[in-house]
Amino acid sequence: MLAVHADRLLDEPLPDQRRTSLVTALTAVPDRRDPRGVVHALPPVLATAVAAVLTGARSAAAVAEWAADAPQQVLADLGVFRDPFTGVYRAPDESTFRRILAGVDADALDEAVGRWVLASRPVPSSGRQVYSVDGKTLRGSGPAGAQVHLLTALDQHTGTVLGQVDVNGKTNELTRFQPLLTPLDLTSVVVTADALHTQREHARWLVDDKKAAYLFTVKKNQPRLYHQLKALPWAKIPIQDETSTRGHGRYDIRRLQAATCTGPLALDFPHATQALRIRRRRMNLATGRWSTVTVYAITNLDAAEASPADLADWLRGHWAIETLHHIRDTTYGEDASRLRTGHAPRVMATLRNTAISLLRLAGITTIAKALRRNSRNPYRPLQILGLT
């Protein structure tokens, strides 16, 4: 991913694939409101909410406050209602934002934004595309047992969100894995997931139906497979990739070993061709103490399709989705939000995903700094939305 300093945000024209406005894509979201008495069309309201979130707005009240302070030209570019008698553009008020966030079709919104991101993101000229799947609970969305839980797919290369589905109280992440990924073209894509999704049904569906590849971590929720991996002769298998990093008060050394799973080493898992062991040694720079963590993984990719370095990068890159969750929690205070009405918690999460994806597409890596910069100039969010 191209790293661009926040102070250089959009000093240059948007690339060609970004010239299609996200606002145009939002017209695909159906408006469920009774048309009688509707003042503000749905796409401009949603676009205004995204623009406000691009400045760091965390709530419906903050979104409404940003819209109320926006200059007339900004409101005109966003397409909000223009009073035919006075010619003044009227920003939606807080109650309008609250009603729309709670009542909008959340599935359609996620689908519209996901399609736009897919069409807008730069695709790597070489190598495979890698998508990460992981879930997150919105802690402030309700009492324990009734909180909103969302499952998300993220493109490791760009850090953009490609899809999101709700995991309601009557189901779990496992049943939502396929609905999340079904709309995506996964041909030759590598899908990474944590141990919860290391399921035979997922592996068969990805390889047989979607023509994709998988790279799953393995833990004791699959006891037979875990013990098979642990029992492989790792002491006789050379280290094929080693990386080291320093930062956040620690020094990490990661070593990867790979074993081909054929003949006597064949694993009891669909299409598995390679078993992996990753040993991470970590030193706490403050105390000088070392710790060691061992992780096992499996993939249907053989050695000719993916090098050890590739596999190590993709396994480590899976945690880009945790970075997304961290930004939503720390920069946007997601878990502290008390929005609980209707679809509002999920829709606000979608708006945060959208803002982060837009900034990633603009080459921004320091999200918090970019939000502060945007908050100082109401025209900057319009540039990111492709409106100017």
Side-chain angles (χ1 to χ4, degrees), residues 3-12 362 364 373:
V4 178
H5 196 278
D7 288 340
R8 293 180 55 203
L9 177 59
L10 299 178
D11 286 343
E12 300 176 357
I364 303 302
R373 186 177 189 273

Side-chain angles (χ1 to χ4, degrees), residues 174 177-178 197 199-207 216:
L174 299 183
F177 182 87
Q178 291 186 23
H197 293 287
Q199 304 290 332
R200 290 166 175 77
E201 294 79 6
H202 290 355
R204 290 192 190 96
W205 179 75
L206 285 172
V207 177
F216 293 158

Side-chain angles (χ1 to χ4, degrees), residues 97-115:
F97 282 114
R98 287 190 180 277
R99 286 195 301 271
I100 287 179
L101 294 179
V104 72
D105 186 332
D107 288 329
L109 177 61
D110 274 317
E111 184 179 349
V113 172
R115 280 201 307 265

Side-chain angles (χ1 to χ4, degrees), residues 68-221:
D69 289 340
Q72 284 286 292
Q73 186 58 54
V74 168
L75 296 177
D77 290 342
L78 288 167
V80 303
F81 173 74
R82 182 174 183 264
D83 190 309
F85 300 104
T86 64
V88 174
Y89 290 94
R90 288 168 44 191
D93 59 18
E94 181 179 346
S95 63
T96 299
F97 282 114
R98 287 190 180 277
R99 286 195 301 271
I100 287 179
L101 294 179
V104 72
D105 186 332
D107 288 329
L109 177 61
D110 274 317
E111 184 179 349
V113 172
R115 280 201 307 265
W116 183 85
V117 171
L118 274 167
S120 301
R121 72 203 167 105
V123 178
S125 57
S126 61
R128 288 179 177 264
Q129 297 181 65
V130 186
Y131 299 166
S132 298
V133 174
D134 197 23
K136 182 182 187 299
T137 298
L138 309 185
R139 304 294 179 190
S141 59
Q147 297 163 337
V148 175
H149 188 86
L150 303 172
L151 189 64
T152 303
L154 176 137
D155 178 3
Q156 284 193 17
H157 175 67
T158 60
T160 54
V161 177
L162 306 179
Q164 179 177 265
V165 293
D166 182 44
V167 182
N168 62 46
K170 297 180 180 179
T171 183
N172 56 46
E173 282 192 20
L174 299 183
T175 61
R176 302 299 285 159
F177 182 87
Q178 291 186 23
L180 171 67
L181 296 176
T182 292
L184 304 178
D185 179 4
L186 298 181
T187 305
S188 299
V189 170
V190 180
V191 175
T192 68
D194 61 21
L196 174 65
H197 293 287
T198 306
Q199 304 290 332
R200 290 166 175 77
E201 294 79 6
H202 290 355
R204 290 192 190 96
W205 179 75
L206 285 172
V207 177
D208 296 337
D209 295 354
K210 300 295 284 184
K211 311 306 177 188
Y214 64 80
L215 179 57
F216 293 158
T217 56
V218 179
K219 293 184 179 179
K220 293 181 180 179
N221 63 314

